[in-house]
Amino acid sequence: MDLQPEIHVQCPYCWETIPLYLDASAGTQEYTEDCSVCCRPIIVHVSFLFDEPAVWVEPEMD
Ligand SMILES: [Zn+2]
């Protein structure tokens, strides 16, 4: 099963809501994704609790 749940998060820079496509098979993960609106790097944290994705984002610190 290659389920890719789509979730929406709010960009910490421009506050636009952007879609993320999670790779559930990767489990708990942390990666950087460029905002599709303002193109700034967002750090995305993902953890799975009982197959429910818990996601939070934060701005990349220089
Ligand atoms: Zn943005």
Side-chain angles (χ1 to χ4, degrees):
M1 187 170 75
D2 58 351
L3 180 67
Q4 281 205 319
E6 179 184 338
I7 57 113
H8 291 84
V9 298
Q10 206 171 29
C11 173
Y13 302 102
C14 69
W15 304 107
E16 291 289 336
T17 300
I18 59 172
L20 293 177
Y21 299 93
L22 302 180
D23 181 1
S25 64
T28 299
Q29 59 201 284
E30 181 182 315
Y31 64 96
T32 303
E33 171 116 357
D34 290 342
C35 175
S36 56
V37 178
C38 70
C39 298
R40 294 161 94 174
I42 305 167
I43 300 175
V44 181
H45 303 266
V46 183
S47 63
F48 287 89
L49 283 175
F50 306 107
D51 293 333
E52 289 289 326
V55 179
W56 69 101
V57 297
E58 62 185 4
E60 187 176 73
M61 300 298 176
D62 288 333

